Amino acid sequence: MTPEATSDSVPRPGGTGPLAGRTVSRIGYGAMQLERLHDRRDDAVALLRRAVEGGVDHVDTAEFYGSGFVNEVIREALRPEDDVLVVTKVGADSNPGGQVPLRLAQRPEELRASVEDNLRSLGVERLDVVNLRRLDTGPGLRPEGDQVVDLDDQLATLTALRDEGKIGAIGLSSVTLDTLRRALPAGIVCVQNAYSLVARDDEPLLELCAAEGVAWVPFFPLGGAFPGLPKVTDDPTVQDVAAALGATPSQVGLAWLLHHAPNVLLIPGTADAAHLEANIAVGDIALDATALGALDAVTSRSYDVPIG
């Protein structure tokens, strides 16, 4: 067995990259879409098993995905021998019935409570990685009032939880370059920000992460999740490259991310088995110098997304 294969000798999709002291497949799975299978729990479990059997060993989740449903699916589907690294996040809680399905939970006591909630729903004694979703940048809500909390206070809480053995490692999400610089001494292992081929405002953060050995895990890697967020699949260059390769525009957008920087780890999500297979196959797509040059030249467009 080589590092490019799992313990079951399954090729690791996308090759491998480091995360929290582990070696993981560069193509992981974002579990949020499992919410769509809320009334088909067995299908949700089967889909996650299929991902693991396809070489995925990095799963991204949160207690607020489906108000705990997604974590419960992960708990049921994953086995210790799968050796899957599960990354969760804190900084928001589910808000069923609210105008916005999330409410912010940025205060230190709320972060601690969210960690405890994730431990309980995942059925583990330690969370591999916990991302602090600061919501200082990117689409979505912004902290207001008592939800505006100093970064040092938040990191102190997460560091204490790490010292207690409840957290293995700390990551960040939706942060600015200044926030990342301030947080690095705490031992940050990954950053999740909105980033794609057509929305590359956070290139300086990606470059700092690469220099510091921090994994860059883009969410909305194909854009388009909010009105006003440009879609990678709408770009004519992406469509032309896809046609030439016999791939889909989505696959090309994800493949570009893998080629763009060695510290990129992908967590595309889906509730569909065929789409899952297509995402895993992205690791086999080779982009030559001509294709990469054309894609690199695509104009990056800042997103203009309503906050609320």
Side-chain angles (χ1 to χ4, degrees), residues 219-255:
F219 65 85
F220 300 155
L222 297 174
F226 282 76
L229 196 64
K231 293 182 179 180
V232 171
T233 54
D234 288 345
D235 188 87
T237 300
V238 172
Q239 294 171 351
D240 289 346
V241 171
L245 292 174
T248 68
S250 294
Q251 287 179 313
V252 168
L254 295 174

Side-chain angles (χ1 to χ4, degrees), residues 16 19 26 78 96 115 157 160 162 179 193 229 235 246 264 288 299:
T16 61
L19 177 59
R26 291 185 71 198
L78 299 186
V115 165
T157 297
R162 186 176 60 191
T179 298
N193 272 26
L229 196 64
D235 188 87
V264 169
D288 62 20
T299 300

Side-chain angles (χ1 to χ4, degrees), residues 93-249:
D93 289 335
S94 59
N95 184 32
Q99 183 177 5
V100 178
L102 291 180
R103 64 172 183 84
L104 298 188
Q106 296 278 308
R107 297 196 306 272
E109 67 272 18
E110 293 173 316
L111 300 180
R112 179 173 282 274
S114 292
V115 165
E116 296 291 351
D117 288 343
N118 277 281
L119 287 167
R120 189 162 41 250
S121 60
L122 287 168
V124 297
E125 294 182 355
R126 189 188 78 156
L127 303 172
D128 295 329
V129 182
V130 171
N131 285 326
L132 168 62
R133 180 154 286 185
R134 280 276 299 181
L135 298 166
D136 292 334
T137 186
L141 298 168
R142 289 287 184 272
E144 297 177 345
D146 67 355
Q147 289 298 312
V148 178
V149 181
D150 186 77
L151 173 68
D152 290 343
D153 293 338
Q154 295 175 316
L155 290 176
T157 297
L158 294 178
T159 299
L161 287 161
R162 186 176 60 191
D163 292 343
E164 293 166 23
K166 294 185 175 182
I167 290 177
I170 301 168
L172 296 173
S173 179
S174 300
V175 294
T176 64
L177 184 60
D178 178 64
T179 298
L180 174 57
R181 286 176 174 146
R182 288 178 56 198
L184 282 173
I188 303 303
V189 299
C190 58
V191 171
Q192 288 188 4
N193 272 26
Y195 178 88
S196 72
L197 170 63
V198 296
R200 303 190 301 274
D201 284 358
D202 281 340
E203 193 72 21
L205 278 86
L206 187 160
E207 292 171 356
L208 178 58
C209 284
E212 295 289 340
V214 174
W216 181 256
V217 189
F219 65 85
F220 300 155
L222 297 174
F226 282 76
L229 196 64
K231 293 182 179 180
V232 171
T233 54
D234 288 345
D235 188 87
T237 300
V238 172
Q239 294 171 351
D240 289 346
V241 171
L245 292 174
T248 68

Side-chain angles (χ1 to χ4, degrees), residues 81-102:
E81 59 268 27
D82 294 326
D83 198 26
V84 172
L85 189 149
V86 177
V87 179
T88 189
K89 58 188 70 67
V90 295
D93 289 335
S94 59
N95 184 32
Q99 183 177 5
V100 178
L102 291 180

